[in-house]
Amino acid sequence: MSPGIQVPLSYRLRPALRRAMVLAGGLLLAFGMLSAVPVAAQTRVKDLVTFDGVRRNQLVGYGLVVGLNGTGDRLINTPFTEQSLKGMMERLGINTRGETLRTRNAAAVMVTASLPPFPRQGTTVDVTVSALGDATSLLGGTLVVTPLLGADGEAYAVAQGPLSVSGFTAGGAAATVTKGVPTTARIANGATVERELKFALNDVGAVRMALRNPDFTTAIRIADAVNGRLGTGNARVVDLTTVDVRITGSYVGNVSRLIGEIEQLAVRPDAVARVVVDERSGTIVIGDDVRVSRVAITQGNLTVRVVETPQVSQPQPFSNGSTVVVPRTDVQVQEGNGRQFVTVGGNVSLQQLVNGLNALGVGPRDMVAILQAIKAAGALHADLEII
């Protein structure tokens, strides 16, 4: 390069520009990695609460199933089935008084259904049919007209139709095979609604939400989300279970739209740290917020084995002795290998806590005893629920 030639400024600054571009690229990469960190999962309000008045109602009825292939109730053992048959026959104009029925093709059943919110007359719902007597199977049966009653004793639907049974029973004189539960059946769209529930949603002055999992923090977050949508002061927390929303403005007389918009709001639910233990199956469920103070744990196994090997003592030939049984008992006591203490706990994540518990190398049932011991030591900062 000759001394008389001027070097462009951009060329002289090129190394600095390159360093700046590398630094900017690194910052962008760092910000990209930060943005890739998953945030706390949010849940729709729709999945966290139920709305007052928008609920299902249980219906129940007593009926008869006919058309069974000899698998119904034995009338000698179930007098209520015989009385129901005679009553049905008399309503149809057939006199059966003084007669003895000997059929095995009918069964007394309980019919249950769930009435959806705001049912309209003529809509249909599914029903479940369950045998009440000693019928062995409802396969092939048909439910006779059965009124379904609510908690107030009024009939809200009428059920009838052929049964759909998923289980079966087959067998002979020496063996029987049963799959599923053949004494329970369903009828799809088997009940027709005849009476409507008298509840006008648009006449209410406020919408009340009930949390499925009561929690003060979750209730406050729901109220804040609703106020952010509708304006401050429209939603208030009554208690850890209830949040009230006033109906104002364009939502007066249009409550369904208000509920629909509230349902789509997303909040992050909170819950009490809890460990659930099922001792019967050895199942353990640990919540994400469970923390254990730093503790040292060891667990040993003690095995006692008793073996009985009785022996027969025979007398010598031509002696006056008798044959006796001499007991022989072998008792063995084996203590498990002395495990070293394993440190578990501290301000760690759920995965680290699980890894620490797994390092003990014990089964689920022994883990139940360990968790109970940690709770007794005051190191388990969570509710221990045993079911």
Side-chain angles (χ1 to χ4, degrees), residues 184-203:
T184 299
R186 287 183 63 84
I187 306 178
N189 299 323
T192 303
V193 176
E194 300 294 345
R195 183 194 298 266
E196 300 181 2
L197 295 175
K198 299 184 181 300
F199 178 74
L201 182 62
N202 288 328
D203 292 342

Side-chain angles (χ1 to χ4, degrees), residues 201-227:
L201 182 62
N202 288 328
D203 292 342
V204 300
V207 173
R208 170 160 290 188
M209 295 180 287
L211 275 68
R212 291 190 173 95
N213 296 312
D215 184 82
F216 279 113
T217 304
T218 305
I220 292 173
R221 290 173 182 173
I222 292 175
D224 292 342
V226 175
N227 286 329

Side-chain angles (χ1 to χ4, degrees), residues 119-143:
R120 297 305 175 193
Q121 189 173 4
T123 58
T124 58
V125 295
D126 297 344
V127 298
T128 301
V129 181
S130 304
L132 190 60
D134 59 355
T136 58
S137 176
L138 298 179
L139 184 64
T142 301
L143 177 68

Side-chain angles (χ1 to χ4, degrees), residues 44-371:
R44 297 178 304 174
V45 174
K46 182 178 186 176
D47 303 319
L48 298 175
V49 303
T50 59
F51 293 89
D52 189 19
V54 184
R55 47 161 292 183
R56 291 180 172 270
N57 292 273
Q58 306 303 321
L59 303 179
V60 64
Y62 169 83
L64 284 174
V65 170
V66 297
L68 302 177
N69 187 19
T71 58
D73 294 338
R74 287 191 288 266
L75 301 186
I76 191 174
N77 296 333
T78 53
F80 50 86
T81 305
E82 183 177 6
Q83 294 172 9
S84 300
L85 281 173
K86 290 182 177 181
M88 182 183 67
M89 293 296 185
E90 290 182 359
R91 288 193 300 271
L92 296 177
I94 302 174
N95 186 9
T96 58
R97 294 181 182 179
E99 300 293 336
T100 301
L101 303 181
R102 289 291 181 266
T103 179
R104 284 293 307 273
N105 295 338
V109 294
M110 296 300 295
V111 185
T112 58
S114 181
L115 194 65
F118 311 108
R120 297 305 175 193
Q121 189 173 4
T123 58
T124 58
V125 295
D126 297 344
V127 298
T128 301
V129 181
S130 304
L132 190 60
D134 59 355
T136 58
S137 176
L138 298 179
L139 184 64
T142 301
L143 177 68
V144 182
V145 174
T146 303
L148 300 181
L149 311 179
D152 56 358
E154 299 290 338
Y156 287 89
V158 176
Q160 179 175 282
L163 306 183
S164 175
V165 182
S166 58
F168 67 88
T169 299
T176 302
V177 176
T178 301
K179 179 181 179 182
V181 183
T183 53
T184 299
R186 287 183 63 84
I187 306 178
N189 299 323
T192 303
V193 176
E194 300 294 345
R195 183 194 298 266
E196 300 181 2
L197 295 175
K198 299 184 181 300
F199 178 74
L201 182 62
N202 288 328
D203 292 342
V204 300
V207 173
R208 170 160 290 188
M209 295 180 287
L211 275 68
R212 291 190 173 95
N213 296 312
D215 184 82
F216 279 113
T217 304
T218 305
I220 292 173
R221 290 173 182 173
I222 292 175
D224 292 342
V226 175
N227 286 329
R229 173 75 178 183
L230 305 179
T232 304
N234 285 279
R236 68 183 185 93
V237 178
V238 178
D239 49 44
L240 77 165
T241 304
T242 310
V243 178
D244 281 351
V245 180
R246 292 191 302 112
I247 301 174
T248 58
S250 61
Y251 297 110
V252 176
N254 193 11
V255 181
S256 297
R257 183 176 183 84
L258 173 63
I259 293 178
E261 294 183 3
I262 293 176
E263 285 181 336
Q264 299 305 316
L265 298 176
V267 298
R268 183 168 60 88
D270 199 66
V272 177
R274 182 176 286 110
V275 178
V276 181
V277 176
D278 186 354
E279 286 189 315
R280 292 169 295 183
S281 63
T283 302
I284 302 173
V285 179
I286 303 176
D288 185 38
D289 295 326
V290 174
R291 293 294 180 266
V292 177
S293 297
R294 197 169 184 84
V295 292
I297 305 172
T298 185
Q299 196 271 345
N301 293 324
L302 182 66
T303 303
V304 179
R305 186 167 178 260
V306 180
V307 180
E308 294 285 353
T309 55
Q311 297 180 355
V312 178
S313 177
Q314 295 281 3
Q316 295 295 329
F318 307 104
S319 66
N320 295 326
S322 59
T323 302
V324 296
V325 177
V326 180
R328 292 288 185 271
T329 304
D330 182 19
V331 180
Q332 299 177 1
V333 179
Q334 180 180 1
E335 190 171 4
N337 297 329
R339 286 198 182 93
Q340 300 296 324
F341 278 91
V342 176
T343 303
V344 178
N347 189 17
V348 297
S349 65
L350 175 62
Q351 184 61 48
Q352 292 170 318
L353 175 60
V354 171
N355 292 339
L357 294 175
N358 288 337
L360 296 172
V362 297
R365 299 191 181 277
D366 292 332
M367 191 71 70
V368 173
I370 291 174
L371 289 172

